[in-house]
Amino acid sequence: MKSRKGQLCIRRTKGFTLLEMAIVLLVFGLVIGGLMGPLQVQLESLDRKATVKKIGLIKESIIGFAIRNGRLPCPDTDSDGAEDTSGSACTQVYGDVPWATLGVGAIDGWKRPFSYRVDTSFADTTDGSGCADDDAAGVSFEICSAGGINVFDSQGGNAVASNLPAIIVSHGKNWAQTSGTDEGENKDNDADFVDKTYASGGSNNYDDIVDWINLNNLIAKMVTAKKLP
């Protein structure tokens, strides 16, 4: 016959008490909470790296399109992936990257379309852009051409790049939902954009990724391809 003391010992070894379970859950929650922060940072970093790589491919494809067609592609304004043109010019100068026309990926690391703005003098079907060089047949711009798109380090701040023919923007994880003025500059449909260091949180959060077609590189590629004199 088992003693009462022995019965109590057996009962105690069958499972955790409510207090013990609460302590275990608390510790487990603290461990998971501590891991989630670094994991989210790592995932954000991977998404940003993937987006930068995709933008690089888009830029290469835009220059390839220019060599083949003598102009830059127009934006996609109806979300079908194809550039939209009206007569000899673009339907609009601001829209999405025409991914189907270019044969590139349609979305960034957060599964959103890339925004794209082009200077119309580089994307129309009229030879030349009106500067002093002789017009090259079938090319929308000339060696002396300059675009009207500009990039600053903040809204109304210092110039980062100027006279650009085209620009590509990923609006980041928050898809321009912030009230920050710098991100707002990248979606207000004008020719001024902001490119600055990533800033998470605060009143002027900034997670956009901005890149552009370098004018000198574009002209050099066109000259090498014998599209410009």
Side-chain angles (χ1 to χ4, degrees):
M1 182 176 180
K2 296 181 179 178
S3 67
R4 186 183 178 196
K5 183 177 180 181
Q7 290 175 345
L8 289 175
C9 290
I10 293 172
R11 288 174 185 172
R12 287 177 181 174
T13 58
K14 286 184 178 180
F16 292 107
T17 66
L18 290 177
L19 177 60
E20 289 170 334
M21 290 183 65
I23 293 173
V24 169
L25 290 174
L26 175 61
V27 172
F28 184 74
L30 292 173
V31 170
I32 294 299
L35 292 175
M36 286 302 295
L39 179 60
Q40 289 176 349
V41 171
Q42 291 178 16
L43 291 175
E44 174 79 1
S45 178
L46 289 174
D47 288 337
R48 294 183 70 81
K49 288 178 180 178
T51 299
V52 169
K53 183 177 181 179
K54 288 183 177 181
I55 291 178
L57 293 174
I58 291 170
K59 290 170 58 180
E60 290 180 3
S61 297
I62 288 174
I63 292 178
F65 181 96
I67 292 172
R68 292 189 63 186
N69 297 279
R71 64 178 179 85
L72 299 185
C74 293
D76 167 25
T77 59
D78 57 9
S79 302
D80 65 353
E83 64 166 343
D84 291 302
T85 60
S86 177
S88 63
C90 299
T91 302
Q92 297 179 31
V93 296
Y94 185 85
D96 295 338
V97 166
W99 55 270
T101 298
L102 295 174
V104 296
I107 54 177
D108 62 15
W110 300 274
K111 296 180 172 52
R112 297 279 192 167
F114 293 94
S115 293
Y116 171 68
R117 185 183 176 98
V118 67
D119 187 295
T120 188
S121 66
F122 283 77
D124 59 26
T125 57
T126 302
D127 293 349
S129 60
C131 58
D133 291 342
D134 292 333
D135 296 344
V139 181
S140 177
F141 49 93
E142 304 156 86
I143 291 178
C144 61
S145 297
I149 300 171
N150 302 294
V151 181
F152 301 90
D153 61 5
S154 63
Q155 186 183 48
N158 299 314
V160 173
S162 58
N163 302 321
L164 302 176
I167 194 164
I168 304 111
V169 179
S170 164
H171 297 281
K173 184 178 181 179
N174 65 18
W175 190 244
Q177 296 300 314
T178 181
S179 59
T181 56
D182 292 334
E183 284 191 339
E185 189 69 273
N186 291 337
K187 64 185 182 77
D188 62 2
N189 204 26
D190 66 15
D192 292 338
F193 292 81
V194 168
D195 180 36
K196 71 174 195 177
T197 303
Y198 174 85
S200 178
S203 61
N204 201 14
N205 179 82
Y206 185 92
D207 69 350
D208 289 2
I209 300 175
V210 181
D211 207 346
W212 49 86
I213 300 299
N214 181 284
L215 178 59
N216 293 325
N217 185 50
L218 172 63
I219 297 298
K221 295 288 187 181
M222 296 294 285
V223 171
T224 299
K226 298 182 180 179
K227 295 294 183 176
L228 288 174

